[in-house]
Amino acid sequence: MDNSHDTSHQVNKVEMRNLQMGDYDQLAKSFKRIYGNQDVFWTRQQIKKLIDIFPEGQVVIIVDDKIVGCALSIIVDYDMVKGDHTYAQVTGNETFNTHDPKGNILYGIEVFIHPDYRGMRLARRMYEYRKELCEKLNLKAIMFGGRIPNYHKYADTMRPKEYIEKVRSREIYDPVLTFQLSNDFHVRRVIRNYLPNDEESKHCATLLQWDNIYYQPPTDSYVDHKKTVRIGMVQWQMRPYNNIDDLIEQVEFFVDSVSNYRSDFVLFPEYFNAPLMAKFNDMGEAQSIRAMAQYTEKIRDRFRELAISYNINIITGSMPYVKDDGSLYNVGFLCRRDGSVESYEKIHVTPDEKKCWGLCAGNKIQTFDTDCGKIGILICYDVEFPELSRLLASQGMQILFVPFMTDTQNAYTRVRVCAQARAIENECYVAIAGSVGNLPRVTNMDIQYAQSAVFTPCDFAFPYDGKRAEATPNTEMILVADVDLSHLSELHTYGSVRNLRDRRTDLYEVKVKK
């Protein structure tokens, strides 16, 4: 492997290219098999076959016109290598008849660096090439059997599993395994007799794997999920409406406006339909909101029609909804542009909602699949409870939408700060949308404060302050912003910090009670 002692060579130029048959004589003179004690190399026929069947899988490193490193690989099916296997089995006794162009695993069969050129991180270059090739070919992972050449020093006192753990924790240095772990490979299992002649490793090997985060399972669909998603937020002005048709007309105006920017989503605020409660202001608070709930299903159906006709996924904010048992809930709907509709519920009701309206707490905690990835939706107060968004993140949520309604600036700050925290700790985007203005004729809905926004994680691919876009405070407007889902995938694996990966699941967990 790429050992860490210094080279004494003056280096002017380093390049990497695909292996060619004209390279064979130089390779055969310079290298020996890394796991054997004999001075042998691959035969000319073996190298020719590898180049013939999989030319892009074979690369060399050239330093000042001298070949000093080489990496060889084939493609196999995951089922062949996920369990115990030997080097002879996976290479077809070095005939490479096991190479399967339709397989889903890039399998490394050799990496070597000339001893005089170790310490220059040349092997790392070849591994980066393999990762790029794995992504380019849409393969599930890179796998190979890795030696543990220092294990013989500890074999009398510890089992391979314990040795691997100590290498992982940097208590022990192993020239191969330490290098592989530092390059984001993880150990799937220990395999015995992988290389029969490998006395240093005591006939043990680690089955190493690097997962391609961009892998897409084969599908009959020709439509891929979008990587760049455009989302629009409606910062809704509370104003009187004569009837439901007037309110729907304003809704359609905003859907039309956001869709004109070719947006994929539009988000409305919590209780955006509160102006309809003015008609029932002579009733008590609990009775008036129930009376307004009679419009919820009609508004939902109209949203569904708009989603189809304007080709946009609509998150309807939230509205009061009376279930068959007479209980009152705060619910919203995801109206997809394909015509399908799903509902979500407010899980945590505020003390005021409970006291004034008798609102019941919902029980649905779920993510939603869309044509632009997996999303989560939490209504206002819910975003202040980190357990909910963590559960959604564990289900693969990429964008969290938060419709909210806050009356004062301190209430808004709670929602805003918690939403931004959710973006960082769950490595996702968070979009929030609220209402502005006032409703003097609606009890308990009289004033509004909002500044809609899109928040991001804080790392190099994102804005330094985690703010992708912000609306003007307390002004009716739309806010449109693009978010790149591929940046999230990179963050999960290569981020400066990795909040999801580094969770101590051995020590704690967050789970839904059944």
Side-chain angles (χ1 to χ4, degrees):
M1 278 298 110
D2 193 8
N3 292 337
S4 57
H5 59 268
D6 292 331
T7 177
S8 58
H9 293 274
Q10 172 106 26
V11 174
N12 297 308
K13 183 180 179 182
V14 178
E15 62 177 313
M16 183 171 58
R17 62 164 169 78
N18 289 112
L19 176 63
Q20 302 168 4
M21 279 309 300
D23 302 326
Y24 181 79
D25 289 340
Q26 191 178 156
L27 284 174
K29 293 175 183 176
S30 301
F31 300 98
K32 64 179 181 179
R33 304 291 280 275
I34 61 171
Y35 53 84
N37 295 319
Q38 301 176 17
D39 222 358
V40 296
F41 186 65
W42 298 98
T43 66
R44 184 180 295 273
Q45 290 73 22
Q46 287 172 320
I47 293 297
K48 183 177 187 305
K49 182 162 186 179
L50 283 171
I51 293 174
D52 288 343
I53 63 175
F54 188 29
E56 59 266 56
Q58 328 308 327
V59 292
V60 290
I61 288 280
I62 303 170
V63 176
D64 295 333
D65 299 322
K66 178 181 179 181
I67 296 175
V68 301
C70 185
L72 310 176
S73 56
I74 58 176
I75 296 175
V76 298
D77 190 77
Y78 178 69
D79 289 338
M80 178 185 183
V81 294
K82 67 182 180 182
D84 285 334
H85 60 276
T86 66
Y87 187 79
Q89 288 171 337
V90 77
T91 61
N93 289 318
E94 300 181 0
T95 64
F96 316 120
N97 292 332
T98 49
H99 174 71
D100 179 5
K102 296 181 180 179
N104 54 11
I105 298 297
L106 183 67
Y107 198 95
I109 58 174
E110 197 74 276
V111 171
F112 32 72
I113 296 293
H114 191 290
D116 292 345
Y117 290 84
R118 293 172 183 167
M120 295 174 60
R121 296 181 173 84
L122 298 178
R124 190 181 302 271
R125 295 187 186 213
M126 293 190 288
Y127 276 91
E128 288 302 315
Y129 171 82
R130 277 182 174 172
K131 292 174 184 178
E132 292 173 6
L133 180 62
C134 185
E135 293 171 2
K136 175 183 174 183
L137 299 178
N138 190 36
L139 301 177
K140 184 176 182 178
I142 301 171
M143 296 177 70
F144 54 85
R147 301 175 63 239
I148 42 177
N150 277 359
Y151 177 56
H152 68 279
K153 301 177 183 178
Y154 304 88
D156 292 340
T157 60
M158 63 182 71
R159 296 168 62 86
K161 181 180 178 181
E162 185 180 356
Y163 176 80
I164 292 167
E165 286 301 318
K166 288 186 178 295
V167 173
R168 182 182 284 117
S169 63
R170 307 290 182 175
E171 296 177 52
I172 294 175
Y173 172 77
D174 185 282
V176 175
L177 183 56
T178 298
F179 172 81
Q180 306 296 0
L181 294 175
S182 69
N183 278 275
D184 294 314
F185 285 86
H186 60 273
V187 178
R188 279 189 55 89
R189 64 192 301 145
V190 174
I191 43 182
R192 305 276 182 177
N193 298 315
Y194 183 74
L195 298 170
N197 298 324
D198 188 9
E199 295 294 337
E200 287 184 323
S201 302
K202 292 296 181 181
H203 308 290
C204 295
T206 55
L207 180 58
L208 290 151
Q209 182 169 329
W210 176 86
D211 296 310
N212 176 13
I213 58 178
Y214 303 111
Y215 173 69
Q216 295 289 334
T219 175
D220 293 331
S221 172
Y222 292 98
V223 179
D224 257 343
H225 282 173
K226 299 178 67 172
K227 295 302 182 186
T228 300
V229 177
R230 181 163 294 174
I231 55 182
M233 289 131 286
V234 176
Q235 191 153 284
W236 175 271
Q237 173 79 46
M238 291 294 195
R239 56 167 62 88
Y241 295 100
N242 293 323
N243 51 53
I244 187 174
D245 292 331
D246 288 348
L247 180 130
I248 292 294
E249 183 179 15
Q250 187 69 18
V251 165
E252 184 167 4
F253 164 76
F254 280 119
V255 172
D256 186 10
S257 298
V258 173
S259 69
N260 280 339
Y261 291 99
R262 302 177 64 85
S263 297
D264 299 293
F265 292 97
V266 58
L267 171 65
F268 283 81
E270 179 185 28
Y271 292 128
F272 73 95
N273 63 334
L276 298 178
M277 212 184 310
K279 180 179 178 181
F280 312 106
N281 213 30
D282 57 328
M283 301 179 180
E285 294 175 7
Q287 291 71 38
S288 63
I289 195 169
R290 284 174 172 271
M292 186 177 69
Q294 67 183 284
Y295 301 121
T296 296
E297 291 186 349
K298 183 176 181 179
I299 296 172
R300 175 202 62 196
D301 293 343
R302 187 64 184 127
F303 267 122
R304 177 181 176 276
E305 294 170 6
L306 294 173
I308 296 171
S309 59
Y310 285 96
N311 188 30
I312 190 169
N313 300 301
I314 302 176
I315 296 150
T316 68
S318 75
M319 298 170 274
Y321 186 82
V322 179
K323 293 192 176 181
D324 292 339
D325 63 0
S327 300
L328 179 69
Y329 291 82
N330 185 355
V331 305
F333 303 94
L334 167 62
C335 299
R336 299 183 184 87
R337 49 186 158 198
D338 65 3
S340 60
V341 177
E342 290 191 74
S343 66
Y344 50 89
E345 303 173 347
K346 191 169 188 175
I347 306 298
H348 299 89
V349 298
T350 65
D352 192 59
E353 286 175 309
K354 193 179 299 182
K355 182 182 73 172
C356 297
W357 296 333
L359 203 69
C360 297
N363 295 305
K364 296 172 69 172
I365 304 173
Q366 66 179 107
T367 55
F368 301 93
D369 290 315
T370 73
D371 57 359
C372 298
K374 196 179 288 286
I375 69 168
I377 308 170
L378 296 177
I379 301 174
C380 196
Y381 193 30
D382 285 339
V383 80
E384 299 177 31
F385 295 83
E387 299 89 347
L388 291 183
S389 53
R390 179 48 53 88
L391 289 167
L392 299 179
S394 68
Q395 297 174 27
M397 174 186 66
Q398 296 167 294
I399 308 173
L400 174 62
F401 291 94
V402 182
F404 71 91
M405 187 196 74
T406 50
D407 51 359
T408 60
Q409 197 163 358
N410 59 298
Y412 165 74
T413 300
R414 288 195 298 268
V415 171
R416 176 192 177 90
V417 172
C418 289
Q420 192 161 11
R422 302 298 85 90
I424 294 170
E425 67 198 14
N426 295 302
E427 298 179 344
C428 66
Y429 296 105
V430 180
I432 67 173
S435 298
V436 301
N438 58 77
L439 287 172
R441 294 182 54 229
V442 178
T443 305
N444 207 39
M445 291 278 193
D446 44 357
I447 58 174
Q448 318 290 324
Y449 183 92
Q451 183 182 18
S452 303
V454 178
F455 301 117
T456 75
C458 294
D459 213 317
F460 296 114
F462 308 94
Y464 76 94
D465 57 0
K467 301 173 189 174
R468 179 66 185 86
E470 292 180 289
T472 304
N474 264 13
T475 302
E476 183 174 50
M477 63 178 291
I478 60 172
L479 180 67
V480 179
D482 287 347
V483 295
D484 190 331
L485 301 186
S486 66
H487 288 167
L488 299 179
S489 300
E490 293 172 11
L491 179 67
H492 297 334
T493 302
Y494 302 115
S496 302
V497 293
R498 290 165 282 192
N499 296 78
L500 289 179
R501 173 180 285 193
D502 292 340
R503 286 173 294 165
R504 287 288 306 278
T505 52
D506 60 318
L507 186 63
Y508 59 83
E509 63 178 340
V510 179
K511 63 181 181 180
V512 179
K513 292 183 177 180
K514 300 297 184 183

